[in-house]
Amino acid sequence: QNPLAIADGAIHRFPRATGPSHPDSNAPIPVQFTRLIGRETEAAEAETLLRQPEVRLVTITGFGGMGKTRLAAEVADRFAHTFVDGVWWFDMEEAASGDEVIARVAERLSAPIQADASIREHTRQALRDQDLLLVLDNLEQVPDASDAVRALLSGAPSVKCLVTSQRILGLRGEHVLELHPLPEPDAQALLVERVREVKHDFVADADNQADITELCQRLEGVPLALELAATRCILLTPREIVDRLNERFHVLQARSRDIPLRRRALHAAIEWSYDLLPPDARSVLAQLSVFYGGFRLADAEAVCESLDVLDSVSTLRSHSFLRVKADIATQESRYSMLDSVREYAAARLHRTDGLAINVKMRHATRVLETAQANLKCVRTAREVDALRALDADGENLRAAARWAREDSVLPLAAELALALGRWRHRRGFIREAVEAIESGLQTLVRDSPPNLLAELLLERAGLHLDLNETAAAREVAEAAHAMGVAQDDSMRRAKAQNILGQAAMQEGNHAEARERFADALKQFEESVHDVEVANVRTNLGVTERRDTSGTEADRTARLKSAEEHLQEALRLRYVLEDRRGLAETLNSLGVLAFERRDLTNAERYYREALVCHQAIGDTLEVAMLLSNLAEIEEKRGRELHAIRLFAASERLLTEVRSPLRSVVAEMAQRVAENNVIDQAGMDAVLAEISSIPLDTLRSEWTP
């Protein structure tokens, strides 16, 4: 008999509801044929919540493919014998309204029907004395789901609900458990186990471990994507799947008939969620696809065409399309999306005539303006925060520069390349900075702004110096100097002179170096540009220290002059709160003390400089200071400590692709060969240093 049938106002009563622990249950928990991997913590958290008497509603949320249903099944199974009236599972994938949700619950529970009452009242009465757990799976497509759940819980004190949905319900008393991508170890475990289910002889070993790791990283730890990739391993190796991920929506498909259609392909899972969005949110999602690595709300508002970007971002967040994380230092919210979602949204953007180019242009302009504003804070008290902001927007900067270059949007491409190069240079990644600046120089045409060309040349000359390419630095700086003269730009001319002075100093031509530096110093002092004055003073101090010509008295006088220049530079650095410059000058004072055999002061200066560069996060300079400290330890006869410091320096220099890596490696080997440590001991030291996270080495490791 139809449990919803109503006849002459009579109340039709049916047997008391029975849970899945009973053989005649109408709503069994779906049988799981695989073990739960990587969600053990979340399962325990959900179980703990539901066992608390005051908790009535737990919502498992997250984007499609995160494993909400699988987790809910695990949690439900743990309560199979807890509730007197059982655990009742309802797949609401086809439900279109709150009334339909309630009707399905009423039908399954055989709720008593009364002619003069609504279906909601029938269900409320039926649940009033029940002690059970309702599991409502896939509620995201039900617009009034929150009203339906409220109605089910209203007046039923012993009923609890476990809900899965891409949208939270927003009810009082709702406990939200948001699923994120799996951490890499869990992602790899899930992938390998699922591959073995379809390919029993599959072995994860040294030959394919790197491919497995890359595949899990490229799939961002999304369980659905990992499981779909596993099904492809019947025909393809992990390496072959990685190579085909540019066609990820074609590759990541399954054909198992017991899987719902929308879960058989990554594209279908995303499209299902996309279709649930209101039109304006769909449009904003497509436009947000131009962001790589995340964005702030202000960025979205500057880039997207919409009547209310805030409202659309809120909708996308509530539908789990966007993830949000607050920056502890700035207290700003930063939004991001999965790469698979971004690719889907980008395809949607390019279907809209004329919109894509406008959005990309606004994105590139916004990214450039933000980067330039942060770069102006270099060598100020705000440098640490500015560099962190540049790091956060780094992928956006790279993407904008790539797009502008490929689409020949000039001179925007060159300006973006300059900003990108300056950022990487300040972080100590010299090779990447060179690639960016060279790209900027190559994109310029004859009618490009001369100021932009001059800035690129000055930056490139400085990079040549960092790589000890003195002749090239001189050639490029001469070109920048000629432009400064032609444009009667004293500041640019002085900057070029400073670089030419450093080139001369590296060549050992100290007389020319002094002349170049003196000219630059005069220009900077007249312009009251104290940052550059301090830079030149430091360079003059280094020049005087390096010049060993003449008599002992000449040498002593020059060392005194070197210290005077460096102390004056140090004074200016403190006034300016220029932490980067402070570290540079402290390092130079440390070298001066080291050459005077004053190891105590040398170490003190080096350590103070190290703290500054670690705060800034300049990988190259941190590496060089660790090497300097290693030389002190060697002089003191503490060879093992020296080797550890050299090893740490070498690892950081390898990270930034510096040619100095080989020099430091040779220094470490020289110390080791003094019968201080055998190869096994050396390997142990290297293993120890290799186990330290790179971020720790460059930002907080204290030797």
Side-chain angles (χ1 to χ4, degrees), residues 71-247:
L71 176 60
E74 173 71 20
V75 175
D77 193 58
R78 296 184 183 187
F79 286 94
H81 301 283
T82 301
F83 292 85
V84 174
D85 297 302
V87 176
W88 289 76
W89 182 283
F90 298 90
D91 184 352
M92 295 297 180
E93 186 172 327
E94 302 300 326
S97 68
D99 283 341
E100 191 172 344
V101 169
I102 292 174
R104 290 185 181 206
V105 173
E107 182 175 4
R108 287 286 184 86
L109 292 175
S110 301
I113 306 302
Q114 189 170 352
D116 59 350
S118 68
I119 185 66
R120 296 195 177 208
E121 180 61 23
H122 299 327
T123 309
R124 190 181 71 81
Q125 291 294 331
L127 292 174
R128 183 176 55 190
D129 300 321
Q130 298 287 308
D131 176 45
L132 53 78
L133 174 64
L134 298 176
V135 185
L136 308 178
D137 189 33
N138 299 314
L139 277 188
E140 58 266 4
Q141 80 285 353
V142 180
D144 55 343
S146 57
D147 290 339
V149 173
R150 183 190 292 112
L152 290 170
L153 293 175
S154 176
S158 297
V159 171
K160 297 193 177 194
C161 272
L162 177 62
V163 170
T164 74
S165 173
Q166 291 184 34
R167 293 185 298 146
I168 62 174
L169 300 174
L171 295 173
R172 284 185 300 173
E174 178 183 22
H175 292 261
V176 178
L177 188 61
E178 183 174 7
L179 299 190
H180 300 286
L182 293 173
E184 191 168 302
D186 292 332
Q188 292 191 28
L190 177 63
L191 177 68
V192 170
E193 182 158 317
R194 295 297 182 264
V195 172
R196 286 174 179 161
E197 290 169 7
V198 298
K199 191 177 177 65
H200 301 298
D201 60 348
F202 180 80
V203 177
D205 54 26
D207 293 331
N208 60 15
Q209 183 57 54
D211 299 329
I212 291 172
T213 299
E214 184 177 356
L215 181 56
C216 291
Q217 290 172 344
R218 292 281 300 277
L219 296 180
E220 304 173 277
V222 177
L224 173 62
L226 293 165
E227 296 194 348
L228 292 173
T231 66
R232 288 298 192 184
C233 284
I234 297 176
L235 299 174
L236 303 171
T237 66
R239 178 74 261 158
E240 289 173 319
I241 296 176
V242 169
D243 291 341
R244 291 169 176 260
L245 279 185
N246 288 337
E247 310 165 10

Side-chain angles (χ1 to χ4, degrees), residues 408-423:
S408 298
V409 183
L410 303 174
L412 180 61
E415 290 185 284
L416 286 162
L418 177 60
L420 177 58
R422 282 177 166 167
W423 163 51

Side-chain angles (χ1 to χ4, degrees), residues 297-360:
L297 179 61
D299 300 324
E301 291 174 327
V303 170
C304 297
E305 291 181 7
S306 172
L307 294 176
D308 191 340
V309 174
L310 172 59
D311 183 63
S312 291
V313 167
S314 177
T315 299
L316 292 170
R317 171 67 186 129
S318 68
H319 281 252
S320 301
F321 273 91
L322 296 178
R323 294 173 288 180
V324 63
K325 186 176 182 179
D327 186 300
I328 296 175
T330 64
Q331 286 302 298
E332 284 186 317
S333 295
R334 192 167 184 88
Y335 298 86
S336 62
M337 66 177 78
L338 294 168
D339 279 349
S340 53
V341 173
R342 190 192 57 73
E343 288 179 20
Y344 177 90
R348 289 280 179 175
L349 176 65
H350 285 89
R351 294 181 194 177
T352 309
D353 292 339
L355 181 60
I357 185 68
N358 292 333
V359 174
K360 287 183 177 181

Side-chain angles (χ1 to χ4, degrees), residues 281-308:
R282 294 181 191 178
S283 174
V284 169
L285 176 67
Q287 295 175 74
L288 291 175
S289 68
V290 298
F291 287 102
Y292 286 70
F295 58 90
R296 299 164 301 167
L297 179 61
D299 300 324
E301 291 174 327
V303 170
C304 297
E305 291 181 7
S306 172
L307 294 176
D308 191 340

Side-chain angles (χ1 to χ4, degrees), residues 549-560:
S549 63
T551 65
E552 186 63 29
D554 293 333
R555 170 71 173 152
T556 300
R558 280 195 293 271
L559 289 178
K560 181 180 179 182

Side-chain angles (χ1 to χ4, degrees), residues 40 65 141 277 302 431 439 458 477 491 506 527 595 653 672 698:
E40 294 82 1
Q141 80 285 353
L277 295 171
R431 294 295 184 186
S439 171
L458 288 170
M491 285 296 292
Q506 287 186 0
S527 302
E595 292 187 355
L653 290 170
R698 78 170 130 246

